[in-house]
Amino acid sequence: MYDEIFAKEDPAKNNPRFWDELFLMKVNLEYLETKLESVDGEEVQRIQDNINSLFHHCVQALGEEHQIKVVNALQTLCALFRGVHQKNKSTSGFDIINMLMGFDKAEQRMKDLMERLDSLLCGDGSESLKSLCLKLLLCLVTVTDNISQNTILEYVMINSIFEAILQILSDVSSRGQHGYDAVVLLALLVNYRKYESVNPYIVKLSIVDDEPTLDGMGMVVHHALTEYNRQYKDKEEENQGGFFSTLTSMVGSMFIADADEKLSVQTNEAILLALYEAVHLNRNFITVLAQSHPEIDIPTTPTTPTPMTPTSPLGTAPPSLDMMNNPELPLDPNLGTSNLLITFLKYASIVMQDTKDEHRLNSARLCLIILTCIAEDQYADAFLHDDNMNFRVNLHRMPMRHRKKPVDKNMPSRPLVCAVLDLMVEFIVTHMMKEFPMDLYLRCVQIIHKLLCYQKKCRIRLHYTWRELWSALINLLKFLLSNETTLLGKHNIFHLALLVVNLFNMFITYGDTFLPTSNSYDELYYEIVRMHQVFDNLYCMVLRVSTNMGQWKEPASKVTHALVNVRAIVNHFNPKIESYAAVNHISQLSEEQVLEVVKTNYDTLTLKLQDGLDQFERYSEQPKEAAFFKELVRSISLNVRKNVSLNTMSQDVLLKEFSTIS
């Protein structure tokens, strides 16, 4: 029958029931796609009417009561979209829309198709059919590598299925079965020509204020990330047991790098992109981040078998159904509570450990962009710093030779901002390496700055071990100094140094408004004086560079000016400490003694007031991040396409389900 479609004659000419019979037969996806790919230029013109007719009859069949016909029509459409696009890769001599539908009829055909899909998604029909409709839409959105070059999507913009996606997310049972695909589809549609024209999906997503819908979206993301975290934890435990751990303890920690390799679980950028778009576009979604759910271990096997789910790579599969269907779980006092933000922070702590491969680097960058949006949102800041909302957040920490693995059991319950700061400190400490991820460091330091600005503005005295942060920042400066030549070949290290020095300036100038006690302020000065060598060396380096006529003259001189108060502190207290030691005949002062000198000599210290320390540039996606998102969406699109093509092949389950009905 396919061969008849690819012949010149109209296949229904001699057999009026041709199209009826076609959709009662099992689709041969592979044959149809290969056939479309192999058609050459002239043949295309010859059989175009038949292809148009096939497309038209597929859309017609979607309205049939006979479910088998609907299934076969949906799968045939998948093959058509894919086959024609594959064909178009090798020849650009014809237009896809014309080949599929004919220019003159395209608008009407696509309107009919989108309306039929919309009513199938919103109706109370079979779940498998809804699943297949979403697969078809995902197939349609991802047929081109760059979704913005997919002209057919113009019709998906005009005939919006946004409301259908929201309906799936707001309903508990449909969310359980289709939430994952719906969220990924929405994230991709939002990225269609987002910088070139008005994208209705962006406009609509930014004004959603319906609580069940936003909660539904949050829950889908929450469960997908929870599933990833669980898989990672399982792998980690698996690696710590047995022969491997015995060997490691015998040979020392030379195998740490290998252990990390084995722990790699494939990241899920599609879900992260959906989270980013929700946080970035919709102010109301911020409230969803803080909603508590009990912290549960998701069972590994779904209780209900899901038709059409392929074996997908770890971390990219939708979470199991029983979890998604049961959002109202009882709060067990023995279980910790969690929320989307905690789950996201744990996820970020895993993907940010290893940024060597491109996917993980992109994931880490996206995590930091999401945290940037959160850190500059007033409402998010309010709940991050809320003293009545305390949580234990066990972040994953990189195994390193010079530190012990932390014991999670003794973790105090603290406001969530502490976990965000811990994550930033952890990143700063663990990524000082030859392939220096400058972009990620800049983002980390800027997130810390935004949080400090909020604390200063609202006079929030956070009980946090600030010393760990100061020490991490000083070590970062030390690293920049000792690798100056290598790093300057690739990066403007003065920009990062300036941001770090200005964090210290924030503490020096405004610390009395947000540090928890006067002792913390003394400790800050103690730390600056103790590590004065680093600041001295930094000053010498930036002075040297700013007096030369090189490309770094200006950025280096900014650091010179920024160091004025740090140097005043060092130059003021060092002589006092030395004379105290001389008078009391002590060769090595203890920390208490140094602190004593600091406390008694504040009044004679003169500092300069620096402007703009508590100001920051707000995040904006365009133009700075546009190239990153374009590449990211391309990579997600390829991944989704791979999974959808696996998915649409599993026909037997569907045919079995519907042959009994018919």
Side-chain angles (χ1 to χ4, degrees), residues 61-103:
L62 294 184
E64 293 268 0
E65 275 179 38
H66 204 310
Q67 305 278 279
I68 289 238
K69 285 187 173 181
V70 182
V71 171
N72 287 332
L74 285 166
Q75 296 202 325
T76 306
L77 283 166
C78 263
L80 270 174
F81 285 130
R82 277 209 297 261
V84 169
H85 276 90
Q86 281 304 113
K87 165 86 203 124
N88 195 38
K89 275 186 177 170
S90 50
T91 56
S92 52
F94 67 93
D95 192 285
I96 285 168
I97 293 174
N98 201 27
M99 182 173 178
L100 277 174
M101 305 165 247
F103 283 134

mmCIF file of all heavy atoms in Angstrom, residues 61-103:
data_model
loop_
_atom_site.group_PDB
_atom_site.id
_atom_site.type_symbol
_atom_site.label_atom_id
_atom_site.label_comp_id
_atom_site.label_asym_id
_atom_site.label_seq_id
_atom_site.Cartn_x
_atom_site.Cartn_y
_atom_site.Cartn_z
ATOM 1 N N ALA A 61 -8.234 10.823 9.984
ATOM 2 C CA ALA A 61 -8.357 9.595 10.786
ATOM 3 C C ALA A 61 -8.275 9.877 12.288
ATOM 4 O O ALA A 61 -8.757 9.088 13.112
ATOM 5 C CB ALA A 61 -7.271 8.600 10.385
ATOM 6 N N LEU A 62 -7.659 11.011 12.675
ATOM 7 C CA LEU A 62 -7.558 11.333 14.105
ATOM 8 C C LEU A 62 -8.935 11.581 14.719
ATOM 9 O O LEU A 62 -9.105 11.528 15.934
ATOM 10 C CB LEU A 62 -6.677 12.578 14.321
ATOM 11 C CG LEU A 62 -5.199 12.441 13.954
ATOM 12 C CD1 LEU A 62 -4.443 13.707 14.314
ATOM 13 C CD2 LEU A 62 -4.549 11.256 14.643
ATOM 14 N N GLY A 63 -9.928 11.863 13.842
ATOM 15 C CA GLY A 63 -11.278 12.100 14.360
ATOM 16 C C GLY A 63 -12.116 10.831 14.400
ATOM 17 O O GLY A 63 -13.277 10.853 14.814
ATOM 18 N N GLU A 64 -11.546 9.716 13.965
ATOM 19 C CA GLU A 64 -12.304 8.452 13.904
ATOM 20 C C GLU A 64 -12.611 7.909 15.298
ATOM 21 O O GLU A 64 -11.836 8.119 16.231
ATOM 22 C CB GLU A 64 -11.471 7.398 13.149
ATOM 23 C CG GLU A 64 -11.268 7.707 11.687
ATOM 24 C CD GLU A 64 -12.334 7.070 10.805
ATOM 25 O OE1 GLU A 64 -13.223 6.395 11.352
ATOM 26 O OE2 GLU A 64 -12.254 7.267 9.575
ATOM 27 N N GLU A 65 -13.707 7.168 15.388
ATOM 28 C CA GLU A 65 -14.011 6.531 16.683
ATOM 29 C C GLU A 65 -13.167 5.280 16.865
ATOM 30 O O GLU A 65 -12.885 4.851 17.968
ATOM 31 C CB GLU A 65 -15.498 6.167 16.742
ATOM 32 C CG GLU A 65 -16.338 7.353 17.210
ATOM 33 C CD GLU A 65 -17.813 7.013 17.261
ATOM 34 O OE1 GLU A 65 -18.146 5.875 17.656
ATOM 35 O OE2 GLU A 65 -18.628 7.892 16.902
ATOM 36 N N HIS A 66 -12.807 4.669 15.754
ATOM 37 C CA HIS A 66 -12.019 3.438 15.793
ATOM 38 C C HIS A 66 -10.603 3.775 16.275
ATOM 39 O O HIS A 66 -9.813 4.359 15.543
ATOM 40 C CB HIS A 66 -11.975 2.846 14.370
ATOM 41 C CG HIS A 66 -11.716 1.383 14.359
ATOM 42 N ND1 HIS A 66 -10.670 0.817 15.056
ATOM 43 C CD2 HIS A 66 -12.369 0.353 13.729
ATOM 44 C CE1 HIS A 66 -10.686 -0.484 14.854
ATOM 45 N NE2 HIS A 66 -11.712 -0.801 14.051
ATOM 46 N N GLN A 67 -10.272 3.386 17.521
ATOM 47 C CA GLN A 67 -9.009 3.802 18.137
ATOM 48 C C GLN A 67 -7.765 3.317 17.386
ATOM 49 O O GLN A 67 -6.769 4.009 17.334
ATOM 50 C CB GLN A 67 -8.939 3.288 19.589
ATOM 51 C CG GLN A 67 -10.115 3.715 20.439
ATOM 52 C CD GLN A 67 -9.960 5.129 20.990
ATOM 53 O OE1 GLN A 67 -9.298 5.358 21.965
ATOM 54 N NE2 GLN A 67 -10.579 6.078 20.304
ATOM 55 N N ILE A 68 -7.857 2.107 16.796
ATOM 56 C CA ILE A 68 -6.689 1.597 16.057
ATOM 57 C C ILE A 68 -6.317 2.546 14.926
ATOM 58 O O ILE A 68 -5.148 2.800 14.651
ATOM 59 C CB ILE A 68 -6.980 0.172 15.512
ATOM 60 C CG1 ILE A 68 -7.001 -0.803 16.681
ATOM 61 C CG2 ILE A 68 -5.975 -0.222 14.427
ATOM 62 C CD1 ILE A 68 -6.064 -1.948 16.657
ATOM 63 N N LYS A 69 -7.351 3.118 14.272
ATOM 64 C CA LYS A 69 -7.087 4.059 13.182
ATOM 65 C C LYS A 69 -6.356 5.291 13.713
ATOM 66 O O LYS A 69 -5.444 5.810 13.076
ATOM 67 C CB LYS A 69 -8.401 4.489 12.521
ATOM 68 C CG LYS A 69 -9.006 3.428 11.619
ATOM 69 C CD LYS A 69 -10.205 4.011 10.897
ATOM 70 C CE LYS A 69 -10.750 3.041 9.854
ATOM 71 N NZ LYS A 69 -11.888 3.604 9.134
ATOM 72 N N VAL A 70 -6.792 5.768 14.887
ATOM 73 C CA VAL A 70 -6.173 6.965 15.477
ATOM 74 C C VAL A 70 -4.696 6.683 15.781
ATOM 75 O O VAL A 70 -3.810 7.474 15.449
ATOM 76 C CB VAL A 70 -6.922 7.404 16.758
ATOM 77 C CG1 VAL A 70 -6.301 8.675 17.328
ATOM 78 C CG2 VAL A 70 -8.403 7.635 16.462
ATOM 79 N N VAL A 71 -4.433 5.520 16.393
ATOM 80 C CA VAL A 71 -3.049 5.135 16.723
ATOM 81 C C VAL A 71 -2.197 5.097 15.455
ATOM 82 O O VAL A 71 -1.107 5.678 15.397
ATOM 83 C CB VAL A 71 -3.022 3.737 17.401
ATOM 84 C CG1 VAL A 71 -1.593 3.233 17.543
ATOM 85 C CG2 VAL A 71 -3.683 3.804 18.769
ATOM 86 N N ASN A 72 -2.719 4.412 14.427
ATOM 87 C CA ASN A 72 -1.943 4.272 13.193
ATOM 88 C C ASN A 72 -1.732 5.610 12.492
ATOM 89 O O ASN A 72 -0.678 5.865 11.917
ATOM 90 C CB ASN A 72 -2.617 3.266 12.257
ATOM 91 C CG ASN A 72 -2.446 1.840 12.775
ATOM 92 O OD1 ASN A 72 -1.464 1.545 13.460
ATOM 93 N ND2 ASN A 72 -3.400 0.964 12.488
ATOM 94 N N ALA A 73 -2.743 6.476 12.570
ATOM 95 C CA ALA A 73 -2.617 7.799 11.944
ATOM 96 C C ALA A 73 -1.545 8.617 12.659
ATOM 97 O O ALA A 73 -0.720 9.285 12.024
ATOM 98 C CB ALA A 73 -3.955 8.521 11.993
ATOM 99 N N LEU A 74 -1.532 8.571 14.001
ATOM 100 C CA LEU A 74 -0.535 9.323 14.772
ATOM 101 C C LEU A 74 0.877 8.843 14.435
ATOM 102 O O LEU A 74 1.796 9.636 14.238
ATOM 103 C CB LEU A 74 -0.795 9.171 16.281
ATOM 104 C CG LEU A 74 -1.983 9.963 16.847
ATOM 105 C CD1 LEU A 74 -2.342 9.469 18.253
ATOM 106 C CD2 LEU A 74 -1.690 11.459 16.898
ATOM 107 N N GLN A 75 1.025 7.518 14.355
ATOM 108 C CA GLN A 75 2.362 6.995 14.068
ATOM 109 C C GLN A 75 2.783 7.291 12.625
ATOM 110 O O GLN A 75 3.953 7.560 12.360
ATOM 111 C CB GLN A 75 2.391 5.495 14.352
ATOM 112 C CG GLN A 75 2.156 5.227 15.835
ATOM 113 C CD GLN A 75 2.687 3.878 16.272
ATOM 114 O OE1 GLN A 75 2.647 2.926 15.514
ATOM 115 N NE2 GLN A 75 3.163 3.801 17.487
ATOM 116 N N THR A 76 1.815 7.271 11.709
ATOM 117 C CA THR A 76 2.135 7.595 10.314
ATOM 118 C C THR A 76 2.599 9.048 10.212
ATOM 119 O O THR A 76 3.547 9.367 9.490
ATOM 120 C CB THR A 76 0.897 7.366 9.406
ATOM 121 O OG1 THR A 76 0.428 6.038 9.608
ATOM 122 C CG2 THR A 76 1.248 7.564 7.939
ATOM 123 N N LEU A 77 1.930 9.939 10.962
ATOM 124 C CA LEU A 77 2.338 11.353 10.952
ATOM 125 C C LEU A 77 3.775 11.508 11.461
ATOM 126 O O LEU A 77 4.550 12.290 10.925
ATOM 127 C CB LEU A 77 1.375 12.193 11.803
ATOM 128 C CG LEU A 77 0.023 12.512 11.140
ATOM 129 C CD1 LEU A 77 -0.978 13.029 12.170
ATOM 130 C CD2 LEU A 77 0.197 13.557 10.018
ATOM 131 N N CYS A 78 4.097 10.727 12.505
ATOM 132 C CA CYS A 78 5.477 10.751 13.016
ATOM 133 C C CYS A 78 6.459 10.409 11.900
ATOM 134 O O CYS A 78 7.459 11.094 11.693
ATOM 135 C CB CYS A 78 5.649 9.706 14.129
ATOM 136 S SG CYS A 78 5.476 10.392 15.766
ATOM 137 N N ALA A 79 6.155 9.328 11.188
ATOM 138 C CA ALA A 79 7.042 8.870 10.111
ATOM 139 C C ALA A 79 7.118 9.923 9.008
ATOM 140 O O ALA A 79 8.189 10.169 8.435
ATOM 141 C CB ALA A 79 6.524 7.554 9.545
ATOM 142 N N LEU A 80 5.986 10.565 8.723
ATOM 143 C CA LEU A 80 5.967 11.591 7.672
ATOM 144 C C LEU A 80 6.864 12.772 8.036
ATOM 145 O O LEU A 80 7.690 13.205 7.241
ATOM 146 C CB LEU A 80 4.535 12.097 7.467
ATOM 147 C CG LEU A 80 3.679 11.359 6.438
ATOM 148 C CD1 LEU A 80 2.251 11.882 6.466
ATOM 149 C CD2 LEU A 80 4.249 11.550 5.028
ATOM 150 N N PHE A 81 6.683 13.292 9.246
ATOM 151 C CA PHE A 81 7.499 14.442 9.670
ATOM 152 C C PHE A 81 8.980 14.090 9.634
ATOM 153 O O PHE A 81 9.806 14.838 9.132
ATOM 154 C CB PHE A 81 7.110 14.901 11.082
ATOM 155 C CG PHE A 81 5.806 15.661 11.136
ATOM 156 C CD1 PHE A 81 4.814 15.321 12.044
ATOM 157 C CD2 PHE A 81 5.586 16.731 10.283
ATOM 158 C CE1 PHE A 81 3.619 16.023 12.095
ATOM 159 C CE2 PHE A 81 4.395 17.444 10.325
ATOM 160 C CZ PHE A 81 3.397 17.088 11.238
ATOM 161 N N ARG A 82 9.280 12.916 10.168
ATOM 162 C CA ARG A 82 10.697 12.521 10.239
ATOM 163 C C ARG A 82 11.283 12.249 8.868
ATOM 164 O O ARG A 82 12.360 12.725 8.525
ATOM 165 C CB ARG A 82 10.849 11.291 11.136
ATOM 166 C CG ARG A 82 10.922 11.652 12.618
ATOM 167 C CD ARG A 82 11.742 10.625 13.356
ATOM 168 N NE ARG A 82 11.123 9.317 13.286
ATOM 169 C CZ ARG A 82 10.382 8.791 14.264
ATOM 170 N NH1 ARG A 82 10.188 9.449 15.362
ATOM 171 N NH2 ARG A 82 9.865 7.602 14.134
ATOM 172 N N GLY A 83 10.553 11.477 8.063
ATOM 173 C CA GLY A 83 11.052 11.090 6.739
ATOM 174 C C GLY A 83 11.289 12.285 5.842
ATOM 175 O O GLY A 83 12.328 12.404 5.189
ATOM 176 N N VAL A 84 10.332 13.215 5.830
ATOM 177 C CA VAL A 84 10.449 14.383 4.954
ATOM 178 C C VAL A 84 11.617 15.266 5.404
ATOM 179 O O VAL A 84 12.337 15.826 4.584
ATOM 180 C CB VAL A 84 9.115 15.170 4.931
ATOM 181 C CG1 VAL A 84 9.299 16.515 4.260
ATOM 182 C CG2 VAL A 84 8.058 14.371 4.196
ATOM 183 N N HIS A 85 11.830 15.369 6.718
ATOM 184 C CA HIS A 85 12.952 16.184 7.189
ATOM 185 C C HIS A 85 14.297 15.527 6.887
ATOM 186 O O HIS A 85 15.252 16.215 6.546
ATOM 187 C CB HIS A 85 12.818 16.491 8.686
ATOM 188 C CG HIS A 85 11.950 17.674 8.941
ATOM 189 N ND1 HIS A 85 10.590 17.562 9.135
ATOM 190 C CD2 HIS A 85 12.233 19.000 8.990
ATOM 191 C CE1 HIS A 85 10.081 18.773 9.303
ATOM 192 N NE2 HIS A 85 11.050 19.662 9.226
ATOM 193 N N GLN A 86 14.355 14.220 7.023
ATOM 194 C CA GLN A 86 15.596 13.511 6.666
ATOM 195 C C GLN A 86 15.906 13.762 5.188
ATOM 196 O O GLN A 86 17.021 14.019 4.800
ATOM 197 C CB GLN A 86 15.432 11.994 6.901
ATOM 198 C CG GLN A 86 15.570 11.575 8.345
ATOM 199 C CD GLN A 86 16.903 12.023 8.942
ATOM 200 O OE1 GLN A 86 16.965 12.855 9.828
ATOM 201 N NE2 GLN A 86 17.991 11.468 8.423
ATOM 202 N N LYS A 87 14.844 13.691 4.387
ATOM 203 C CA LYS A 87 14.972 13.901 2.943
ATOM 204 C C LYS A 87 15.532 15.306 2.693
ATOM 205 O O LYS A 87 16.403 15.516 1.860
ATOM 206 C CB LYS A 87 13.571 13.750 2.321
ATOM 207 C CG LYS A 87 13.419 14.258 0.918
ATOM 208 C CD LYS A 87 13.830 13.190 -0.055
ATOM 209 C CE LYS A 87 14.233 13.773 -1.365
ATOM 210 N NZ LYS A 87 15.567 13.396 -1.765
ATOM 211 N N ASN A 88 15.025 16.247 3.437
ATOM 212 C CA ASN A 88 15.392 17.648 3.224
ATOM 213 C C ASN A 88 16.839 17.935 3.598
ATOM 214 O O ASN A 88 17.407 18.922 3.183
ATOM 215 C CB ASN A 88 14.455 18.547 4.032
ATOM 216 C CG ASN A 88 14.537 19.989 3.581
ATOM 217 O OD1 ASN A 88 14.654 20.260 2.394
ATOM 218 N ND2 ASN A 88 14.505 20.900 4.521
ATOM 219 N N LYS A 89 17.435 17.050 4.423
ATOM 220 C CA LYS A 89 18.824 17.274 4.825
ATOM 221 C C LYS A 89 19.750 17.220 3.625
ATOM 222 O O LYS A 89 20.721 17.961 3.543
ATOM 223 C CB LYS A 89 19.256 16.222 5.856
ATOM 224 C CG LYS A 89 18.869 16.641 7.259
ATOM 225 C CD LYS A 89 19.412 15.678 8.279
ATOM 226 C CE LYS A 89 19.079 16.175 9.675
ATOM 227 N NZ LYS A 89 19.343 15.220 10.709
ATOM 228 N N SER A 90 19.449 16.302 2.700
ATOM 229 C CA SER A 90 20.383 16.126 1.580
ATOM 230 C C SER A 90 20.057 17.064 0.418
ATOM 231 O O SER A 90 20.923 17.445 -0.335
ATOM 232 C CB SER A 90 20.361 14.676 1.117
ATOM 233 O OG SER A 90 19.019 14.275 0.918
ATOM 234 N N THR A 91 18.778 17.417 0.255
ATOM 235 C CA THR A 91 18.447 18.324 -0.851
ATOM 236 C C THR A 91 17.639 19.490 -0.319
ATOM 237 O O THR A 91 16.726 19.307 0.471
ATOM 238 C CB THR A 91 17.577 17.606 -1.912
ATOM 239 O OG1 THR A 91 16.426 17.089 -1.236
ATOM 240 C CG2 THR A 91 18.308 16.503 -2.602
ATOM 241 N N SER A 92 17.987 20.671 -0.771
ATOM 242 C CA SER A 92 17.222 21.817 -0.275
ATOM 243 C C SER A 92 16.332 22.356 -1.395
ATOM 244 O O SER A 92 15.854 23.462 -1.343
ATOM 245 C CB SER A 92 18.196 22.896 0.199
ATOM 246 O OG SER A 92 19.119 23.137 -0.847
ATOM 247 N N GLY A 93 16.146 21.520 -2.423
ATOM 248 C CA GLY A 93 15.428 22.003 -3.607
ATOM 249 C C GLY A 93 13.922 22.078 -3.450
ATOM 250 O O GLY A 93 13.222 22.482 -4.361
ATOM 251 N N PHE A 94 13.376 21.659 -2.338
ATOM 252 C CA PHE A 94 11.917 21.746 -2.220
ATOM 253 C C PHE A 94 11.560 22.120 -0.783
ATOM 254 O O PHE A 94 12.387 22.061 0.108
ATOM 255 C CB PHE A 94 11.264 20.411 -2.590
ATOM 256 C CG PHE A 94 11.574 19.320 -1.598
ATOM 257 C CD1 PHE A 94 10.722 19.073 -0.533
ATOM 258 C CD2 PHE A 94 12.725 18.549 -1.731
ATOM 259 C CE1 PHE A 94 11.024 18.076 0.375
ATOM 260 C CE2 PHE A 94 13.023 17.555 -0.814
ATOM 261 C CZ PHE A 94 12.172 17.312 0.243
ATOM 262 N N ASP A 95 10.353 22.509 -0.617
ATOM 263 C CA ASP A 95 9.949 22.955 0.703
ATOM 264 C C ASP A 95 9.158 21.882 1.434
ATOM 265 O O ASP A 95 8.248 21.275 0.882
ATOM 266 C CB ASP A 95 9.106 24.223 0.564
ATOM 267 C CG ASP A 95 8.917 24.873 1.911
ATOM 268 O OD1 ASP A 95 8.121 24.345 2.704
ATOM 269 O OD2 ASP A 95 9.590 25.880 2.179
ATOM 270 N N ILE A 96 9.532 21.679 2.678
ATOM 271 C CA ILE A 96 8.901 20.630 3.486
ATOM 272 C C ILE A 96 7.381 20.806 3.584
ATOM 273 O O ILE A 96 6.618 19.858 3.421
ATOM 274 C CB ILE A 96 9.526 20.642 4.888
ATOM 275 C CG1 ILE A 96 10.916 20.024 4.807
ATOM 276 C CG2 ILE A 96 8.681 19.873 5.891
ATOM 277 C CD1 ILE A 96 11.759 20.215 6.021
ATOM 278 N N ILE A 97 6.964 22.044 3.841
ATOM 279 C CA ILE A 97 5.517 22.284 4.023
ATOM 280 C C ILE A 97 4.767 21.921 2.742
ATOM 281 O O ILE A 97 3.723 21.281 2.777
ATOM 282 C CB ILE A 97 5.261 23.757 4.418
ATOM 283 C CG1 ILE A 97 5.834 24.002 5.813
ATOM 284 C CG2 ILE A 97 3.778 24.093 4.382
ATOM 285 C CD1 ILE A 97 5.792 25.417 6.299
ATOM 286 N N ASN A 98 5.347 22.309 1.606
ATOM 287 C CA ASN A 98 4.698 22.013 0.334
ATOM 288 C C ASN A 98 4.616 20.511 0.108
ATOM 289 O O ASN A 98 3.591 19.981 -0.325
ATOM 290 C CB ASN A 98 5.468 22.681 -0.801
ATOM 291 C CG ASN A 98 4.604 22.842 -2.034
ATOM 292 O OD1 ASN A 98 3.379 22.933 -1.935
ATOM 293 N ND2 ASN A 98 5.226 22.866 -3.195
ATOM 294 N N MET A 99 5.693 19.802 0.433
ATOM 295 C CA MET A 99 5.699 18.362 0.197
ATOM 296 C C MET A 99 4.690 17.644 1.104
ATOM 297 O O MET A 99 4.031 16.700 0.687
ATOM 298 C CB MET A 99 7.089 17.787 0.435
ATOM 299 C CG MET A 99 7.116 16.301 0.141
ATOM 300 S SD MET A 99 8.764 15.612 0.206
ATOM 301 C CE MET A 99 8.391 13.895 -0.135
ATOM 302 N N LEU A 100 4.579 18.113 2.344
ATOM 303 C CA LEU A 100 3.679 17.431 3.281
ATOM 304 C C LEU A 100 2.212 17.774 3.051
ATOM 305 O O LEU A 100 1.342 16.911 3.093
ATOM 306 C CB LEU A 100 4.041 17.804 4.715
ATOM 307 C CG LEU A 100 5.172 17.042 5.381
ATOM 308 C CD1 LEU A 100 5.482 17.645 6.739
ATOM 309 C CD2 LEU A 100 4.826 15.567 5.558
ATOM 310 N N MET A 101 1.938 19.072 2.853
ATOM 311 C CA MET A 101 0.527 19.498 2.867
ATOM 312 C C MET A 101 0.097 20.270 1.640
ATOM 313 O O MET A 101 -1.088 20.422 1.387
ATOM 314 C CB MET A 101 0.283 20.388 4.098
ATOM 315 C CG MET A 101 0.660 19.753 5.401
ATOM 316 S SD MET A 101 0.738 20.999 6.698
ATOM 317 C CE MET A 101 2.468 21.010 7.075
ATOM 318 N N GLY A 102 1.075 20.835 0.923
ATOM 319 C CA GLY A 102 0.724 21.755 -0.168
ATOM 320 C C GLY A 102 0.570 23.151 0.418
ATOM 321 O O GLY A 102 -0.133 23.329 1.412
ATOM 322 N N PHE A 103 1.235 24.143 -0.190
ATOM 323 C CA PHE A 103 1.222 25.508 0.356
ATOM 324 C C PHE A 103 -0.192 26.033 0.585
ATOM 325 O O PHE A 103 -0.512 26.590 1.621
ATOM 326 C CB PHE A 103 1.936 26.478 -0.601
ATOM 327 C CG PHE A 103 3.420 26.374 -0.520
ATOM 328 C CD1 PHE A 103 4.193 26.324 -1.673
ATOM 329 C CD2 PHE A 103 4.066 26.306 0.718
ATOM 330 C CE1 PHE A 103 5.578 26.219 -1.605
ATOM 331 C CE2 PHE A 103 5.446 26.205 0.787
ATOM 332 C CZ PHE A 103 6.205 26.160 -0.372
#
